[in-house]
Amino acid sequence: MHRTRTTWQVLALALLALGWSSTPAAAQKLKQRMAERYEQELDYPRMALVYEDIIASGHGTSDDLRKLAWTYMQMGRNDKASTTYSKLLAEAQPSLQDMRSFADLQRAQGNYDAALVWYERILDQVPDDEMAKAYTSSKGFFDRLRRDSTLNKVRSLPINSSMADLGPTVMDDLLIFSSARGEGAGGRTVYKWDDEPFLNLYTALLKGGSASEAVVMRKEVNSRYHDGTASYDRNRKRLYFTRDNYYYGTVTKAKDGEMKLGIYYTDVTKGEFGQPEWSALTPFLHNDPEVNNGHPAVSAGGRVLWFVSDRPGGSGGTDIWYCELQGDEWGAPKNAGPQINTSGNEMYPFLSTDSVLYFTSNGRAGLGGYDIFMTRLTPSGPAKVFNLGYPVNSRANDGGLVLLADDSTGFFFSDRPGGQGSDDIYGCTVHPPMVRISGVVVEEGTGTPIVDPTLDLRDATGGLLETANLQMLEGGRFTMEVPYSARYKLNAARNGYKPGSVELDPTNDLENVVIELQKYDYGAEGVVMHGETMAPIAGAKVVLMGSDNKPIDETTTDMNGHYSFALKNDKDYRLAVEKDGFFRQSARITTKGKASTIIRTDFKLFPLEVDQVVRLDNIYYDLAKWNIRPDAAIELDKLVTTLLDNPTVTIELSSHTDCRGKDPYNLSLSEKRAKSAVEYVIKKGIAKERVFSKGYGETKPVETCVCEKCTDDQHQRNRRTEFKVLSK
């Protein structure tokens, strides 16, 4: 932010110009000392003016250009910093840090192609540079972060001002945030770094996903210095917040003279008119005048306090730390670890009610300077870290995401273009990002692509996941987007091949997956479907057994109900199928006496429920006869197998006739046919206590046509044999 030169500064520069220093070198040295003093005071606008003067004098060095560019970056003037680095890179041999800073600036301005060029140059010098690899190793990195603008939503809020507004948090029906709009305690004091007033805490009324009626908080909370990011512990009714280490009139500074940040808290009660009342302030137990502590975030259960610190033992500039509640005190700070923290700065932690940690970082590959990331906390530690992508993240700085109890509606702040001030608060609706999985299905041994395979994906619990935007591409390739899971199992199948699968860990590369399928000469394939609707049944267990009924292989049906096994020549097998809530079924198959072939066996599974009626197809009798014909015996043998597979089930086996013939005759005939079917089943080894016969004659037709007008097909459908489940 540009500001007018002060009288003192104009006078000093004038003296320099009139020869107050005897040589240009001496004059430059004096200017550099002035700049160093401003740097110590964090007065970056004045520091920039001095370096601008040095460069304009014609006596500036590459170090002066570098310092000026760095100063512009501290001021948030990425445009000027980028222009200055361009001059530096053109005039001198760039250092690795010069290239990194310039690449980051290009990225922060949305010049992603230019940024990639410089990240690739960094890799030429340092092949194992993790940040550069993150941008260059995955083609289309920026496009993927920007591609889905419909998953998350961003809303502007009416509480923003022409100054900085940032650090939102939620306390009951209030949104608490920090602002430099110049009201309240110390509000008129200007902070030299950004030439804006010191930050104070404000409240606004929450209205769904928006907020209004911003009011500065009282001096019991705000001080003459910075008061910032807060977090409310609803269990203890306690508000934690960040402020400069200023405590009831006493300023505590580090040994180097700098006043660091600390965490303070106040207990909250309801006043006479329902307004919050604040108790005396208490410093956080682990405040230290030599380090910065800030950005507190209390977990929903109140047992963990997350915060940010540059204390020793971290990975970079600022790290995320946490303390666990031990009695009434917070235990020793613990670093969140390298899965979360980087060599850059991690800031603004927030833990949702469903154990997702959101945080801000400039040490990870992202769209802008600072991006918002998320990771799910598991008993074994943090899972894979994801960038929330556009539109929550942008080419600018984005951070400080907090969510309401629904873990979807929230608020964050950003200095993106289009806001009212240097930072603005935005409302948002967020969802965990989708995971992209892509790869190829090939033949085992040869690597030949397999065209049009069937894929199904399962999560860490074995549940079938619906895939979004599944595309089967040429050459056996595929791509899909799926909800995040701690682990995946991707199954592939194709006629003529043994099914294959791979276990996928989202912490590893998911965009170069290879699934190999074994080609076979003999195979068993088929579809498991619902016996009534004929819809495919996914997730049914299919077991391949030998002639001795010992299991050889096992699989589950894919989303199309398909299964397959590789078989050997000259062997007998048995297939057994089961699914919770359905009758088990099995079938005998053989490769004996057969040339290379695929044996297809489909299964119809009927719900295993009391009073469930299952029709037996192809049970026919000769006219006026009730003896079991050979073709009917085949079907009854299948029923025997079903009863053997489901040994606890009892059934009523019933026979029905069409409407032709007298009622008594039809009833008698149907009873005789039902009894003959039961006798056949009993002779095949089914206990008589499990099978009962019943003849219904023409009393329960499935076709209710007028008898004289029924077609032959309708009469045939009424002449049927069924069984009904009596108990299971």
Side-chain angles (χ1 to χ4, degrees):
M1 180 178 295
H2 181 75
R3 58 179 295 180
T4 306
R5 297 180 180 180
T6 65
T7 303
W8 178 88
Q9 188 174 16
V10 172
L11 178 60
L13 293 175
L15 289 171
L16 289 170
L18 291 172
W20 185 77
S21 295
S22 58
T23 65
Q28 181 170 324
K29 194 170 185 180
L30 177 59
K31 294 176 186 178
Q32 289 173 336
R33 286 203 300 269
M34 291 167 57
E36 290 169 0
R37 178 178 175 182
Y38 289 141
E39 182 178 2
Q40 292 174 353
E41 296 174 354
L42 305 181
D43 192 344
Y44 296 117
R46 286 190 176 122
M47 182 179 173
L49 285 172
V50 174
Y51 277 114
E52 286 171 354
D53 191 81
I54 291 174
I55 302 302
S57 71
H59 299 291
T61 65
S62 58
D63 284 338
D64 294 323
L65 275 173
R66 186 175 291 111
K67 269 290 190 180
L68 178 58
W70 179 86
T71 307
Y72 285 144
M73 291 174 67
Q74 302 311 301
M75 296 166 61
R77 293 303 306 268
N78 289 342
D79 52 345
K80 287 192 171 186
S82 180
T83 300
T84 306
Y85 266 117
S86 295
K87 294 178 182 177
L88 175 64
L89 296 175
E91 296 176 7
Q93 180 66 31
S95 68
L96 184 66
Q97 186 56 50
D98 291 337
M99 292 191 292
R100 188 187 310 281
S101 296
F102 187 65
D104 290 345
L105 282 167
Q106 296 306 304
R107 174 169 53 86
Q109 295 177 94
N111 302 325
Y112 297 124
D113 291 340
L116 284 173
V117 170
W118 285 96
Y119 287 127
E120 288 169 354
R121 292 188 184 182
I122 292 171
L123 278 182
D124 290 340
Q125 293 191 21
V126 186
D128 61 348
D129 187 284
E130 291 299 326
M131 182 68 82
K133 281 197 298 185
Y135 286 113
T136 59
S137 62
S138 182
K139 187 177 180 181
F141 172 85
F142 294 112
D143 289 337
R144 280 195 299 279
L145 289 185
R146 291 182 296 174
R147 70 176 176 260
D148 191 353
S149 60
T150 62
L151 185 64
N152 298 323
K153 302 291 185 183
V154 170
R155 302 176 292 275
S156 60
L157 299 181
I159 59 172
N160 290 307
S161 70
S162 59
M163 296 297 185
D165 300 290
L166 64 156
T169 195
V170 174
M171 187 181 82
D172 297 331
D173 58 351
L174 295 176
L175 183 72
I176 298 179
F177 64 99
S178 303
S179 179
R181 59 189 68 187
E183 300 171 349
R188 297 186 181 276
T189 307
V190 174
Y191 184 40
K192 293 179 180 180
W193 184 324
D194 55 11
D195 206 20
E196 289 190 355
F198 280 87
L199 295 168
N200 269 341
L201 286 169
Y202 287 71
T203 63
L205 294 178
L206 272 176
K207 295 181 179 179
S210 187
S212 62
E213 302 179 38
V215 177
V216 68
M217 295 175 72
R218 297 196 301 237
K219 63 181 180 180
E220 287 90 344
V221 176
N222 286 316
S223 70
R224 56 182 295 192
Y225 296 105
H226 282 308
D227 298 280
T229 314
S231 178
Y232 180 59
D233 180 356
R234 64 174 56 90
N235 300 281
R236 289 177 151 188
K237 307 298 182 186
R238 178 172 290 175
L239 184 71
Y240 294 84
F241 62 96
T242 311
R243 66 155 41 175
D244 288 320
N245 277 320
Y246 177 78
Y247 184 57
Y248 289 116
T250 300
V251 173
T252 303
K253 293 185 177 181
K255 293 176 182 177
D256 61 5
E258 183 179 341
M259 182 165 52
K260 307 285 187 177
L261 296 174
I263 297 173
Y264 295 80
Y265 65 84
T266 175
D267 291 329
V268 186
T269 58
K270 291 291 185 180
E272 182 179 356
F273 300 103
Q275 298 298 314
E277 298 285 347
W278 316 98
S279 71
L281 289 186
T282 304
F284 176 48
L285 178 63
H286 302 292
N287 280 348
D288 184 335
E290 298 301 320
V291 301
N292 288 294
N293 293 310
H295 305 174
V298 183
S299 64
R303 305 296 303 175
V304 182
L305 174 65
W306 299 83
F307 65 100
V308 171
S309 180
D310 56 6
R311 63 183 53 236
S315 301
T318 56
D319 274 21
I320 293 176
W321 297 72
Y322 67 95
C323 295
E324 296 172 312
L325 194 62
Q326 298 177 354
D328 291 329
E329 299 289 348
W330 293 111
K334 299 178 182 179
N335 191 276
Q339 182 67 17
I340 293 173
N341 292 313
T342 68
S343 58
N345 294 320
E346 277 65 52
M347 307 171 78
Y348 303 108
F350 173 80
L351 187 66
S352 69
T353 58
D354 59 350
S355 299
V356 174
L357 180 68
Y358 295 88
F359 62 96
T360 304
S361 175
N362 68 353
R364 296 178 178 275
L367 287 173
Y370 282 90
D371 274 22
I372 302 172
F373 297 83
M374 61 148 285
T375 179
R376 187 172 296 278
L377 301 183
T378 70
S380 58
K384 181 179 175 65
V385 173
F386 289 97
N387 187 303
L388 284 189
Y390 180 83
V392 173
N393 288 320
S394 67
R395 65 180 177 86
N397 295 300
D398 306 285
L401 177 69
V402 297
L403 299 177
L404 302 180
D406 64 3
D407 288 328
S408 178
T409 305
F411 304 89
F412 71 103
F413 70 92
S414 174
D415 63 358
R416 62 186 61 190
Q420 296 186 44
S422 53
D423 288 290
D424 276 17
I425 298 173
Y426 294 86
C428 61
T429 303
V430 301
H431 302 280
M434 301 288 279
V435 177
R436 176 177 289 239
I437 301 175
S438 61
V440 63
V441 181
V442 299
E443 182 178 304
E444 183 181 302
T446 68
T448 303
I450 296 174
V451 180
D452 293 331
T454 299
L455 302 176
D456 80 37
L457 185 72
R458 300 185 179 269
D459 62 16
T461 66
L464 188 66
L465 287 172
E466 291 188 11
T467 57
N469 302 322
L470 172 62
Q471 298 180 47
M472 303 307 301
L473 309 175
E474 293 182 359
R477 301 200 65 82
F478 61 87
T479 180
M480 66 181 77
E481 292 185 348
V482 298
Y484 173 78
S485 174
R487 205 167 55 253
Y488 299 100
K489 183 177 182 181
L490 181 59
N491 304 302
R494 184 71 169 89
N495 290 346
Y497 294 86
K498 182 179 179 180
S501 64
V502 290
E503 298 279 349
L504 301 176
D505 181 349
T507 61
N508 298 324
D509 183 15
L510 297 181
E511 300 200 16
N512 293 285
V513 176
V514 178
I515 306 179
E516 295 183 316
L517 304 187
Q518 178 186 355
K519 187 175 179 61
Y520 51 68
D521 294 325
Y522 290 89
E525 296 182 357
V527 173
V528 179
M529 65 192 81
H530 195 290
E532 293 179 328
T533 66
M534 300 303 169
I537 296 177
K541 177 181 175 182
V542 186
V543 181
L544 176 70
M545 293 174 279
S547 57
D548 57 359
N549 287 332
K550 292 183 178 179
I552 298 173
D553 201 356
E554 180 182 309
T555 189
T556 55
T557 54
D558 62 22
M559 67 181 70
N560 297 313
H562 181 265
Y563 74 90
S564 63
F565 294 103
L567 305 178
K568 294 182 179 180
N569 184 30
D570 200 35
K571 296 288 184 180
D572 292 323
Y573 297 94
R574 178 170 171 252
L575 293 167
V577 184
E578 62 178 80
K579 174 79 171 176
D580 287 346
F582 290 84
F583 277 97
R584 299 186 187 93
Q585 287 198 23
S586 65
R588 298 281 180 178
I589 59 174
T590 185
T591 59
K592 289 182 177 179
K594 296 182 179 181
S596 175
T597 188
I598 305 299
I599 302 171
R600 184 172 184 89
T601 307
D602 294 338
F603 291 92
K604 297 178 182 178
L605 298 190
F606 287 89
L608 182 51
E609 300 173 354
V610 174
D611 292 331
Q612 171 69 38
V613 175
V614 179
R615 180 177 176 180
L616 300 175
D617 294 326
N618 303 319
I619 304 293
Y620 300 126
Y621 300 87
D622 292 329
L623 182 63
K625 302 291 185 181
W626 52 85
N627 57 294
I628 303 301
R629 294 181 356 182
D631 54 352
I634 295 174
E635 300 303 318
L636 288 174
D637 285 341
K638 294 179 182 178
L639 174 60
V640 170
T641 301
T642 298
L643 291 172
L644 291 173
D645 291 336
N646 301 270
T648 63
V649 173
T650 62
I651 66 169
E652 174 192 277
L653 207 160
S654 58
S655 182
H656 304 262
T657 68
D658 61 32
C659 59
R660 293 174 293 189
K662 296 184 180 296
D663 291 353
Y665 174 80
N666 285 339
L667 183 61
S668 174
L669 181 61
S670 65
E671 288 176 345
K672 291 175 181 178
R673 287 176 173 176
K675 285 181 180 179
S676 67
V678 168
E679 289 171 357
Y680 181 91
V681 169
I682 292 172
K683 287 179 181 179
K684 289 290 185 175
I686 302 302
K688 62 181 181 180
E689 295 83 6
R690 297 182 58 201
V691 190
F692 301 87
S693 65
K694 180 72 173 179
Y696 288 94
E698 60 185 85
T699 61
K700 290 190 175 184
V702 291
E703 294 286 350
T704 58
C705 52
V706 177
C707 190
E708 293 78 11
K709 295 182 179 181
C710 290
T711 65
D712 288 343
D713 286 342
Q714 288 174 317
H715 284 307
Q716 177 63 68
R717 283 191 287 275
N718 282 332
R719 294 195 306 272
R720 67 196 188 279
T721 299
E722 301 169 336
F723 71 84
K724 180 173 69 173
V725 178
L726 299 178
S727 68
K728 58 180 183 177

